[in-house]
Amino acid sequence: MGEHLRLAALHDISGFGRGSMTTAIAVSSAAGVQCCPVVGSVLSAHTAYPQVTVRDLTEDLPGYIDSWQRIGCDFDALYSGYMSHVSQGEQMLRLLEKSARPGCLFLVDPVMGDNGKAYAGSFGAEFARQMRDYCAHAHIVTPNLTEAAMLLGKEPDAWKREEHPVERYLEGLLEMGCQAAVITGVETGEGRIGARYLTRDGQQGLADCPRVDAYFPGTGDLFASVLLVTLLRRGRDRLEEGVQMAVDFVYRCVEHTHKAGTPPLNGVLLEEMLPILWEKLR
Ligand code: PXL
């Protein structure tokens, strides 16, 4: 054994509804990876609920990261998702510069919207432009189609009116400067959905699964978290395996939850599925 993997994750904590930090911690722990949280905001629930409280912690983050750097924390991966303020990403760049272990992976999930709409909050064109600059530093980005359109300066629903947007968006994302781009929520055939990827050195591919007729918030966070821990566990260059593992696991969670019939806003029944990750990745 000997390899004790550790990542730093910047997300919000949403108290109810599953997703973001609670998902990142659960998935990392099940995969045997320590997750050190950088909490950018605290919400009573994710913003798909009609009424939530929000505490933004952007101002606290510089001191928090200073403290980590004085202690001498270092990481095998850096991971960011939902940011209540786009400047929060600067703290991840400080970690990248000073607290990265050799081969440290930097994954950015540019959380801004879904289904052709920006999420409630500050996710306008200026946020998207700054997110684009931030993504230039990432090794891997994992937008859905809505977020990919926003990163490329388009309307959140532009992909609905374009022919074959995925191929062009993947190339556009690599032009931002990242090493690899994965677009999620892509229709891959009649009744099928999945993710497509493209890397700077020309690898490309897809993983897909049957589409389940239901929408569960937080599945993008689940996808990115599973992808990242798979790469840490199996090898940083095993993108195909990581994307496949993430699609399969999200599908199993969605299918299980759909059958269980719990309220979709509560998210997928992740706790009941974690043993699968434990089995596969330990
Ligand atoms: O799943 C992405 C996400 C993360 N965090 C918060 C959210 C959402 C999506 O709605 O509201 C607070």
Side-chain angles (χ1 to χ4, degrees):
M1 278 296 289
E3 219 193 3
H4 301 290
L5 294 164
R6 177 155 73 217
L7 62 80
L10 166 63
H11 293 265
D12 66 292
I13 282 196
S14 286
F16 204 75
R18 298 189 181 89
S20 48
M21 192 69 85
T22 58
T23 296
I25 294 172
V27 165
S28 302
S29 300
V33 176
Q34 180 190 0
C35 177
C36 301
V38 182
V39 180
S41 46
V42 179
L43 289 83
S44 55
H46 61 62
T47 60
Y49 282 98
Q51 193 267 313
V52 300
T53 67
V54 184
R55 167 76 64 188
D56 180 87
L57 297 175
T58 307
E59 278 182 16
D60 296 293
L61 295 186
Y64 188 99
I65 299 301
D66 286 349
S67 156
W68 275 10
Q69 294 190 322
R70 279 197 298 272
I71 296 168
C73 307
D74 58 358
F75 300 97
D76 301 288
L78 303 173
Y79 168 28
S80 75
Y82 183 97
M83 297 193 279
S84 52
H85 198 288
V86 70
S87 67
Q88 293 178 352
E90 289 163 21
Q91 304 312 318
M92 299 313 276
L93 299 181
R94 291 179 63 205
L95 289 176
L96 186 65
E97 193 179 344
K98 292 239 178 79
S99 307
R101 286 178 171 168
C104 178
L105 255 182
F106 183 24
L107 186 148
V108 173
D109 186 14
V111 175
M112 295 187 286
D114 202 2
N115 294 318
K117 288 205 183 89
Y119 291 134
S122 53
F123 305 106
E126 180 55 23
F127 189 104
R129 201 192 57 68
Q130 292 184 46
M131 180 66 96
R132 179 186 172 93
D133 292 344
Y134 173 55
C135 284
H137 301 273
H139 300 123
I140 305 178
V141 294
T142 59
N144 58 39
L145 268 167
T146 301
E147 291 155 348
M150 294 170 77
L151 286 174
L152 297 175
K154 298 166 184 269
E155 292 298 314
D157 63 349
W159 52 276
K160 295 188 175 179
R161 299 181 292 275
E162 293 179 37
E163 263 189 50
H164 308 297
V166 180
E167 290 79 0
R168 276 182 297 124
Y169 286 12
L170 282 171
E171 282 169 13
L173 293 171
L174 292 186
E175 281 165 18
M176 299 186 311
C178 53
Q179 304 296 311
V182 184
I183 299 184
T184 60
V186 172
E187 192 181 306
T188 54
E190 186 70 25
R192 295 188 70 79
I193 188 165
R196 275 189 189 275
Y197 64 88
L198 180 67
T199 69
R200 191 161 280 281
D201 54 16
Q203 289 179 60
Q204 55 177 308
L206 73 90
D208 69 350
C209 62
R211 176 192 282 277
V212 175
D213 189 23
Y215 181 75
F216 298 98
T219 50
D221 305 325
L222 184 56
F223 179 93
S225 300
V226 174
L227 170 60
L228 180 57
V229 298
T230 305
L231 294 173
L232 286 175
R233 277 270 165 233
R234 294 286 173 80
R236 287 158 173 77
D237 55 346
R238 308 276 281 274
L239 186 61
E240 176 167 14
E241 193 174 340
V243 171
Q244 186 75 55
M245 180 81 86
V247 167
D248 286 349
F249 188 70
V250 171
Y251 172 64
R252 292 177 77 160
C253 289
V254 164
E255 196 206 18
H256 175 69
T257 310
H258 189 51
K259 280 196 182 130
T262 49
L265 279 185
N266 293 4
V268 295
L269 297 169
L270 176 61
E271 308 76 27
E272 297 169 19
M273 307 304 279
L274 287 173
I276 296 173
L277 279 185
W278 176 287
E279 286 284 310
K280 289 197 170 179
L281 292 175
R282 288 287 177 131

